[in-house]
């Protein structure tokens, strides 16, 4: 049985209502590939940038278990084992395989997964059976015309589909997946990347729609202008606050997102132990895919 939302609000740093939490998380950079093409996604392998999409390396499920063991020695406040990249967690089998191992080795840890949701409806039963406690789906629009401005296309059953047609499929699968997983009792968070000229007037509709589909909490992540949206701008404080206020009419809003790396370790916003945990595991740098927290 997955942990309840009420319990997560006290145990999980990214499901905290109100004040910032002092619980920690370890991100396991286990998922190398992605199946969609977000226009703001820029992956990088290095140890210095602090943003989603960046990792020192990609590790194997067994290495993830060793990494958790080491991380708990440095930071006993870690309560959550999360997988958020560097690609999509459902585009390859490694994330679910790792959670199976975590369930056996560290039953006390909250199992947290983040996905773009394209394969969520198809893999919902597997996600439920593996025992995920908290799931995040990134939904940047629920209107295909808007989504198509944020995402170039998807890889869907062996086909590359682009534009509004791709956006329609993505949104349909995301909402269907959110419903299936939340109906099974798993607490669901939705992340939205706030892009001022594209989806800022759409936030209220997204919040209302995902709350109706079963999400419990909502997180608005300010755009980091890069890749094809490098000429867009980051939303200012007023725009963020306005978006939060609008979303709060329908759903709890998480306010302490740190736009974490895919291999972050520690309390979000505090000291990062990633260098000590992943240093032996760094391999040749790769230019592959990215994550979304
Ligand atoms: Fe990681 Fe994401 Fe789980 Fe948190 S991060 S997989 S839900 S354990 Fe948290 Fe970091 Fe923001 Fe993500 S502060 S980027 S929301
Ligand atoms: Fe989008 Fe995440 Fe895939 Fe990058 S890794 S394209 S942000 S879903």
């Amino acid at each position: 049985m997955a942990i309840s939302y009420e319990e997560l609000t006290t145990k999980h740093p990214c499901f905290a209502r109100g004040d910032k939490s002092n619980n920690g998380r370890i991100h396991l950079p286990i998922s190398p590939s992605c199946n969609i093409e977000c226009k703001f996604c820029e992956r990088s392998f290095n140890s210095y940038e602090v943003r989603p999409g960046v990792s020192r390396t990609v590790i194997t499920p067994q290495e993830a278990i060793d990494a958790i063991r080491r991380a708990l020695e440095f930071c006993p406040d870690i309560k959550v084992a999360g997988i958020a990249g560097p690609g999509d967690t459902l585009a390859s089998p490694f994330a679910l395989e790792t959670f199976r191992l975590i369930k056996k080795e560290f039953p006390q840890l909250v199992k947290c997964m983040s996905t773009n949701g394209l394969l969520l409806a198809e893999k919902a039963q597997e996600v439920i059976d593996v025992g995920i406690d908290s799931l995040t789906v990134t939904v940047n629009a629920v209107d295909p015309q808007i989504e198509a401005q944020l995402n170039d296309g998807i890889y869907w059953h062996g086909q590359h589909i682009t534009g509004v047609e791709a956006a329609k499929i993505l949104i349909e699968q995301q909402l269907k997946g959110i419903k299936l997983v939340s109906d099974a009792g798993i607490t669901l968070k939705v992340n939205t990347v706030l892009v001022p000229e594209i989806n800022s007037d759409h936030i209220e509709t997204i919040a209302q729609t995902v709350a109706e589909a079963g999400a419990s909490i909502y997180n608005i992540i300010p755009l980091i202008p890069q890749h094809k949206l490098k000429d867009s701008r980051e939303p200012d404080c007023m725009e963020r606050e306005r978006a939060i206020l609008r979303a709060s009419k329908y759903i709890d809003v998480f306010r302490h997102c740190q736009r974490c790396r895919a291999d972050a370790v520690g309390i979000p916003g505090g000291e990062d132990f990633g260098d000590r945990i992943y240093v032996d595991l760094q391999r040749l740098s790769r230019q592959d895919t990215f994550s979304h927290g």
Side-chain angles (χ1 to χ4, degrees):
M1 187 65 197
I3 300 172
S4 70
Y5 175 42
E6 280 311 311
E7 200 179 338
L8 282 176
T9 60
T10 62
K11 260 190 150 175
H12 194 312
C14 317
F15 286 72
R17 274 191 301 231
D19 292 346
K20 187 178 169 305
S21 135
N22 281 326
N23 292 316
R25 47 83 184 99
I26 175 166
H27 275 178
L28 303 157
I30 204 118
S31 304
S33 51
C34 191
N35 45 18
I36 72 172
E37 298 171 308
C38 298
K39 292 193 189 189
F40 48 78
C41 178
E42 193 164 302
R43 281 90 59 169
S44 186
F45 285 87
N46 65 55
S47 59
Y48 52 88
E49 273 180 280
V50 180
R51 63 168 175 86
V54 180
S55 177
R56 290 166 184 82
T57 186
V58 171
I59 60 174
T60 66
Q62 192 49 54
E63 285 170 340
I65 298 302
D66 300 340
I68 297 174
R69 198 160 283 127
R70 237 187 310 170
L72 287 170
E73 282 168 23
F74 283 109
C75 183
D77 294 324
I78 289 175
K79 302 283 186 337
V80 178
I83 306 185
D88 183 64
T89 47
L90 293 175
S92 59
F94 311 120
L96 292 176
E97 204 179 314
T98 305
F99 283 123
R100 275 185 206 105
L101 296 177
I102 294 173
K103 194 176 176 176
K104 267 197 241 140
E105 301 278 337
F106 305 99
Q108 79 281 15
L109 292 181
V110 173
K111 293 181 286 307
C112 182
M113 190 168 100
S114 183
T115 174
N116 62 37
L118 179 65
L119 293 178
L120 185 58
E122 282 182 22
K123 301 209 178 213
Q125 197 52 51
E126 231 184 306
V127 168
I128 296 162
D129 292 345
V130 157
I132 301 296
D133 298 295
S134 54
L135 185 77
T136 297
V137 183
T138 301
V139 178
N140 295 323
V142 291
D143 174 339
Q145 302 289 342
I146 298 175
E147 178 64 28
Q149 296 172 57
L150 297 165
N151 178 33
D152 276 335
I154 63 172
Y155 292 89
W156 179 241
H157 294 174
Q159 268 185 294
H160 183 217
I161 303 169
T162 57
V164 175
E165 199 193 335
K168 257 189 211 156
I169 298 171
L170 178 61
I171 294 165
E172 210 176 273
Q173 296 305 310
Q174 288 172 327
L175 295 176
K176 205 166 140 191
I178 290 172
K179 180 145 184 34
L180 287 169
V181 169
S182 56
D183 279 354
I186 296 174
T187 302
L188 222 132
K189 169 157 73 59
V190 166
N191 282 353
T192 295
V193 177
L194 178 64
V195 186
E197 270 77 37
I198 301 180
N199 65 0
S200 52
D201 290 333
H202 186 48
I203 294 294
E204 201 166 327
T205 313
I206 303 174
Q208 184 176 15
T209 309
V210 299
E212 278 166 10
S216 297
I217 189 161
Y218 189 58
N219 177 28
I220 296 163
I221 305 183
L223 173 77
I224 299 174
Q226 53 192 7
H227 191 45
K228 293 190 178 170
L229 294 187
K230 68 175 184 327
D231 297 326
S232 300
R233 60 182 179 84
E234 185 164 352
D236 62 30
C237 285
M238 289 295 286
E239 287 170 313
R240 293 184 208 182
E241 276 306 312
R242 199 164 44 234
I244 289 172
L245 266 178
R246 286 175 173 175
S248 318
K249 289 191 213 161
Y250 305 97
I251 188 165
D252 286 344
V253 178
F254 171 63
R255 304 182 67 115
H256 308 287
C257 184
Q258 302 293 324
R259 300 193 292 201
C260 310
R261 294 168 54 96
D263 62 355
V265 182
I267 298 169
E271 183 184 357
D272 190 274
F273 297 93
D275 264 337
R276 278 171 267 182
I277 306 305
Y278 293 118
V279 73
D280 306 342
L281 300 169
Q282 285 186 52
R283 303 190 175 92
L284 292 177
S285 58
R286 308 162 208 198
Q287 184 73 32
D288 197 345
T289 51
F290 161 78
S291 107
H292 33 77

